[in-house]
Amino acid sequence: MTPQITVLDTGGQYCHLIARRVRELGIYADVQQSDVPAATLADRRGIIISGGPASVYAPDSPTTEKELYALGVPVLGICYGLQLMADSLGGEVALGDKGEYGKATLHVDDASGLLAGFDADEPVWMSHRDQVRTPPPGFRRTATTATCPVSAIEDGERKLYGVQFHPEVVHTLRGRRLLENFLFGICGCVKDWDPQQQLPEIERQVQAIAAGRNVLFFASGGVDSTVASALCVRALGAERVHAVYVDTGLMREGETEFVEKTFEGFGHGVFEVVDARAEFLGQLAGVTEPERKRHIIGEEFVRVQERILERGRFLDGEWILGQGTIYPDTIESGGTKKADLIKTHHNRVAGIQRLMEANRIVEPLRDLYKDEVRVLGRTMQLPDELLDRHPFPGPGLAIRCLCSDAAAAVEATPEGWVVPVRSVGVQGDSRTYRPVLAVEELPTEEVIDRATHLINQRSDVNRVIARCGGHSPFSEAQVRPSAITEERLDRLRRADAIVREMSEQSGFEQQVWQFPVVLIPLGDAARPDSVVLRPIYSVDGMTASAVAMPDGLREALVARLLEIPGVAHVLYDITHKPPATIEWE
Ligand code: XMP
């Protein structure tokens, strides 16, 4: 299928949100590097240049070919995309006197064309410091904000448009309207995209790629690999699909049984559980540093996978590997120039690269976004219980079971207790690794609002937790040296299972995007650990906000969690991302 719209990627994940929005409006869109040869885009109905973190005047910043603007194809530049367009066509871009982050009021000079349907004063979402000072010749300004005099420009003749704000985020009230104006009004797109209707085509592709061979899957229990596996069963028949589930010992309670049941549910042929608990826990023994834990788990995963692949035969025949890779992963791992921003994905390790080179990989979801994968899953009647699962990190409970090298006590300060357990944060695009601040207040909306101020006031912490209950006074709490042990993992598993069960029953689980439960080595002589609750709202995990929960649920949870042997206190993470990350490690 030829995309009607191409979104040009100028860095980060921004481009995917734009492409997702375009597809939600029923138009097939793909994502390409910003400097793709312009001539290859001549048959598109429209081009969108995404936002990105760079400055157009910095050396080596992402760029586009100038010919792009002379194709006669409408172009919409968003944020950095606007600045790039202005810079390329003879306008001026410079650092603003101050930044503009979050909600802003757009004053609209001309509510026609791209901004049709906009009010004179319109709430929009901004995230920038650079701004267009002078639009290029031929362009006129169509909107401003108090901070950014050139917030939207257009050259109607050449069909070139640019906006400084982000129409792709939900906080821009009429963002969807703007995209509709561009796609249907300006580009003349016609609806051609419905993921549900892709099912027969994907099945045909799977059959063609498999070409009589069997398919092996590493099942994780996540939505993507399960839907991909179910698709292969549908396309090839159960007897030709073999799924291996690796039990790392870092899974949640009942996870192995859940995955087994799900695979049974769609009539999967061979489902094999490989017990690698001893290997993973052995490698992690005594390790406390978060990045090192992640690294060890990644490496061990590769070793176990390669060992299984080397067995060579699955279902007594020639085989290829099936994977649940989805569109953003396909793009990210494609060897882009912005590789420094990108994590190595499990789906692209060396043994798997070799299989790719030998054409022995099938990735039925490689062109789809997560929400589209869910649509396919529902079409295939996979259970909601699977499709609505919260995201769960690859390294499993290991990154939610915090460790410590040394003993230390909590320290009183005017704002609260400094707890000497360090966690990861993200401030101004950099990683921080700092202690947390504990306050003796209940986690209400009001206290959550104050958390950000507390962190801005002091540079020694990056996260704030509220204490909800405990067996002893917090002043006596101590951090003890601890690593990952079966005993601690079991404690965390129990706490996580209780939280999941109670929040599911109360409906709270369905209201939040994710709800990590974290174990930290803070307690007293009889009880070495504490449990942290971390429910959050998010759209894509890139940013997140802390969420308060109903008092009744919180009180009931605290009472149940304090019954777990070895648990001293129950705490509640009230920090947004940024400045904290969602996970603690
Ligand atoms: P952070 O903690 O970076 O998390 O704010 C953002 C989202 O990513 C998930 N996460 C991971 N997912 N492998 C994954 O597949 C990982 O190593 C990993 N680390 C974090 C996290 O659960 C959240 O949804």
Side-chain angles (χ1 to χ4, degrees):
M1 223 170 136
T2 306
Q4 295 183 66
I5 297 290
T6 287
V7 180
L8 295 178
D9 175 8
T10 66
Q13 287 275 329
Y14 307 86
C15 58
H16 286 298
L17 194 52
I18 301 169
R20 264 173 59 192
R21 293 279 177 257
V22 174
R23 288 188 185 189
E24 276 167 21
L25 293 168
I27 309 295
Y28 186 54
D30 73 344
V31 170
Q32 304 221 20
Q33 288 300 305
S34 62
D35 55 359
V36 62
T40 61
L41 302 178
D43 62 354
R44 300 296 190 267
R45 294 206 180 207
I47 295 165
I48 302 178
I49 311 173
S50 81
S55 282
V56 290
Y57 46 78
D60 299 328
S61 53
T63 177
T64 50
E65 284 190 0
K66 281 207 172 68
E67 291 76 11
L68 192 76
Y69 307 107
L71 291 173
V73 177
V75 182
L76 169 64
I78 296 176
C79 189
Y80 180 85
L82 155 74
Q83 296 163 11
L84 191 56
M85 180 189 284
D87 184 64
S88 302
L89 296 175
E92 191 201 346
V93 177
L95 186 67
D97 297 333
K98 51 182 182 171
E100 191 176 27
Y101 301 99
K103 196 174 152 191
T105 301
L106 188 76
H107 306 295
V108 178
D109 302 332
D110 178 0
S112 67
L114 190 69
L115 303 182
F118 274 52
D119 283 340
D121 285 337
E122 190 66 44
V124 296
W125 192 259
M126 289 280 197
S127 182
H128 70 115
R129 175 92 197 252
D130 283 353
Q131 47 179 256
V132 175
R133 281 278 159 80
T134 322
F139 279 78
R140 65 192 183 93
R141 187 187 78 181
T142 53
T144 64
T145 68
T147 310
C148 180
V150 184
S151 290
I153 57 172
E154 66 177 58
D155 176 341
E157 197 115 308
R158 288 188 284 173
K159 296 201 171 178
L160 304 177
Y161 301 81
V163 290
Q164 183 55 62
F165 56 92
H166 289 268
E168 72 276 23
V169 305
V170 287
H171 304 84
T172 296
L173 189 66
R174 287 196 173 72
R176 186 183 162 102
R177 176 68 196 266
L178 184 149
L179 290 175
E180 285 172 339
N181 291 340
F182 181 68
L183 298 171
F184 300 110
I186 294 167
C187 301
C189 289
V190 282
K191 290 199 178 191
D192 67 346
W193 177 248
D194 174 1
Q196 210 171 326
Q197 282 169 5
Q198 296 304 306
L199 202 52
E201 176 53 29
I202 295 175
E203 283 180 43
R204 269 194 297 279
Q205 282 173 11
V206 169
Q207 287 158 354
I209 295 170
R213 297 171 293 183
N214 298 321
V215 180
L216 164 71
F217 265 95
F218 287 106
S220 71
V223 176
D224 305 337
S225 66
T226 312
V227 172
S229 187
L231 259 166
C232 286
V233 167
R234 203 174 147 112
L236 305 172
E239 64 293 347
R240 285 179 54 195
V241 187
H242 183 122
V244 177
Y245 169 83
V246 178
D247 183 354
T248 59
L250 304 168
M251 327 307 269
R252 306 169 96 175
E253 196 173 286
E255 182 67 8
T256 308
E257 294 76 11
F258 175 85
V259 182
E260 249 167 338
K261 193 182 85 189
T262 312
F263 276 70
E264 248 169 47
F266 62 82
H268 207 281
V270 180
F271 181 81
E272 182 191 353
V273 178
V274 170
D275 182 355
R277 286 179 294 183
E279 283 96 323
F280 279 89
L281 298 187
Q283 292 289 337
L284 285 168
V287 180
T288 56
E289 212 274 315
E291 277 306 299
R292 188 127 178 76
K293 280 157 72 177
R294 279 177 170 274
H295 183 76
I296 287 173
I297 294 163
E299 295 272 295
E300 191 52 38
F301 219 94
V302 173
R303 261 200 297 274
V304 174
Q305 277 193 344
E306 305 241 314
R307 210 167 57 221
I308 295 168
L309 291 176
E310 272 162 22
R311 275 203 249 145
R313 290 181 78 78
F314 297 94
L315 300 172
D316 285 338
E318 262 205 86
W319 59 274
I320 62 174
L321 185 71
Q323 297 208 96
T325 316
I326 61 171
Y327 194 52
D329 305 333
T330 314
I331 298 286
E332 278 180 25
S333 323
T336 66
K337 290 183 200 138
K338 295 183 256 339
D340 52 325
L341 297 175
I342 293 157
K343 293 185 219 162
T344 311
H345 204 271
H346 275 171
N347 291 1
R348 292 287 182 271
V349 301
I352 290 175
Q353 288 287 4
R354 282 198 296 277
L355 288 172
M356 290 184 91
E357 282 153 24
N359 278 328
R360 288 181 59 193
I361 296 265
V362 60
E363 295 178 322
L365 309 175
R366 56 172 296 124
D367 294 324
L368 300 179
Y369 284 110
K370 189 101 182 177
D371 33 2
E372 298 171 332
V373 172
R374 292 205 175 96
V375 171
L376 278 195
R378 285 192 222 287
T379 311
M380 292 193 291
Q381 292 175 339
L382 294 179
D384 289 345
E385 199 190 353
L386 166 81
L387 299 173
D388 296 335
R389 288 195 113 186
H390 287 171
F392 186 71
L397 294 180
I399 60 165
R400 294 181 179 172
C401 184
L402 270 74
C403 307
S404 173
D405 279 329
V410 296
E411 183 198 326
T413 71
E415 291 88 18
W417 304 95
V418 175
V419 178
V421 171
R422 286 191 288 175
S423 82
V424 177
V426 51
Q427 284 165 280
D429 280 343
S430 325
R431 177 186 193 266
T432 59
Y433 186 48
R434 294 184 187 151
V436 295
L437 183 73
V439 294
E440 296 261 15
E441 279 169 290
L442 290 174
T444 58
E445 293 290 352
E446 197 193 331
V447 176
I448 290 176
D449 275 346
R450 217 170 332 121
T452 310
H453 295 290
L454 283 173
I455 291 172
N456 287 342
Q457 267 169 31
R458 25 192 325 159
S459 57
D460 57 334
V461 295
N462 59 5
R463 197 182 283 272
V464 185
I465 50 183
R467 191 170 87 106
C468 303
H471 284 292
S472 45
F474 204 64
S475 53
E476 291 167 17
Q478 292 267 346
V479 169
R480 277 153 222 280
S482 28
I484 293 191
T485 59
E486 293 219 41
E487 186 190 5
R488 294 190 71 222
L489 283 171
D490 282 340
R491 192 171 287 144
L492 173 56
R493 250 191 287 270
R494 197 77 278 280
D496 178 64
I498 290 172
V499 172
R500 246 191 316 164
E501 179 202 314
M502 294 181 68
S503 59
E504 224 173 271
Q505 279 168 4
S506 69
F508 182 70
E509 167 111 352
Q510 293 82 323
Q511 288 167 27
V512 295
W513 190 79
Q514 199 179 13
F515 193 166
V517 175
V518 181
L519 194 77
I520 64 175
L522 177 81
D524 51 42
R527 304 172 189 88
D529 284 315
S530 293
V531 171
V532 185
L533 306 174
R534 174 70 168 140
I536 54 113
Y537 288 138
S538 179
V539 175
D540 50 16
M542 305 266 291
T543 56
S545 39
V547 192
M549 68 165 66
D551 290 345
L553 173 63
R554 193 192 58 243
E555 284 157 15
L557 269 176
V558 171
R560 283 282 303 278
L561 292 169
L562 288 175
E563 286 169 11
I564 301 174
V567 171
H569 302 276
V570 177
L571 304 141
Y572 198 110
D573 191 335
I574 54 172
T575 334
H576 302 314
K577 171 186 180 176
T581 50
I582 297 174
E583 307 285 352
W584 276 47
E585 292 196 333

